[in-house]
Amino acid sequence: MMNFKDLDFLVEKLRELDNGKNHILITGNIKVGKSTLLDAFIKKYYKNSKIDGIMTELVITDKFRIELFRYGTDKRFIIGERVSDMKFYDDVFLKKSYEFMEDFKNNDILVFDEIGNKEGHLIDYCKKLISLFEENRIFAVLKKAGNPVVDNLDKLENYVIFDLDKFYE
């Protein structure tokens, strides 16, 4: 049984799976460090690459909020918040995501952090996302359960899944 959380070690393990062409999909339980690992990996090995993408982040203030933003930018859009229960703003999520996607041009890598249950009921969005995998190199953080991308991996070629949970068993 291994029990470690050494970021440099994990970055090097991820690098071993990176052939310079494949999609890299990082998965694992909530708060295990998927986004942190992806960020450290990009900073170490891809800092001179042209990168774009769609990011989401859980922000905790006086309430839980999910924010959407474009990779490398600061402008954020609220796509979900919990007052008494969680409310998602699919219209904002879709409008901004499609705007970002339309502007993706000549990138070395597209980053998606985090693709998860949120997209499950948005069938057209999922199709667009899968089509991006066909045209671009993708680095993504994925939720495991009920994930539309995980459920469609058989349609993709040349990808690796890096499951962080295996390093915490």
Side-chain angles (χ1 to χ4, degrees):
M1 289 285 182
M2 287 195 237
N3 186 14
F4 57 85
K5 299 176 183 177
D6 184 305
L7 186 58
D8 292 330
F9 175 85
L10 293 171
V11 166
E12 293 313 310
K13 285 294 177 193
L14 183 55
R15 181 65 175 180
E16 290 172 12
L17 298 175
D18 177 15
N19 68 11
K21 296 180 184 122
N22 53 347
H23 302 299
I24 295 178
L25 311 175
I26 301 171
T27 190
N29 285 319
I30 294 169
K31 295 291 177 205
V32 76
K34 300 178 296 286
S35 299
T36 302
L37 173 59
L38 180 59
D39 187 51
F41 181 71
I42 289 171
K43 282 182 177 154
K44 182 160 185 180
Y45 292 109
Y46 290 95
K47 65 179 175 260
N48 296 321
S49 298
K50 188 166 186 289
I51 299 175
D52 208 336
I54 298 174
M55 315 295 283
T56 59
E57 184 174 45
L58 176 64
V59 177
I60 302 170
T61 56
D62 54 328
K63 54 188 164 192
F64 287 94
R65 198 170 61 221
I66 300 172
E67 296 178 347
L68 176 82
F69 59 102
R70 190 166 176 181
Y71 184 88
T73 66
D74 293 325
K75 186 164 185 187
R76 292 171 174 250
F77 306 89
I78 297 172
I79 59 168
E81 59 188 337
R82 182 163 64 196
V83 181
S84 56
D85 56 346
M86 201 65 185
K87 179 165 175 41
F88 292 104
Y89 307 117
D90 288 347
D91 54 339
V92 175
F93 173 78
L94 290 171
K95 180 178 186 292
K96 298 316 291 181
S97 292
Y98 283 133
E99 282 176 20
F100 296 162
M101 287 178 190
E102 287 301 314
D103 205 28
F104 291 163
K105 295 193 178 25
N106 303 316
N107 294 291
D108 299 318
I109 299 162
L110 291 179
V111 175
F112 293 95
D113 183 6
E114 159 165 357
I115 301 170
N117 304 339
K118 172 83 187 76
E119 295 85 353
H121 66 287
L122 305 171
I123 293 167
D124 288 337
Y125 179 81
C126 289
K127 288 179 184 170
K128 175 68 175 168
L129 203 52
I130 294 295
S131 76
L132 290 173
F133 275 82
E134 295 164 9
E135 304 157 13
N136 302 273
R137 185 165 188 218
I138 306 287
F139 290 177
V141 169
L142 304 175
K143 282 191 177 160
K144 276 185 175 175
N147 191 311
V149 173
V150 171
D151 296 340
N152 283 283
L153 286 177
D154 58 329
K155 297 176 183 155
L156 302 177
E157 292 181 20
N158 201 20
Y159 68 89
V160 292
I161 295 177
F162 190 81
D163 187 345
L164 264 177
D165 294 338
K166 293 193 179 349
F167 291 92
Y168 290 88
E169 293 172 344

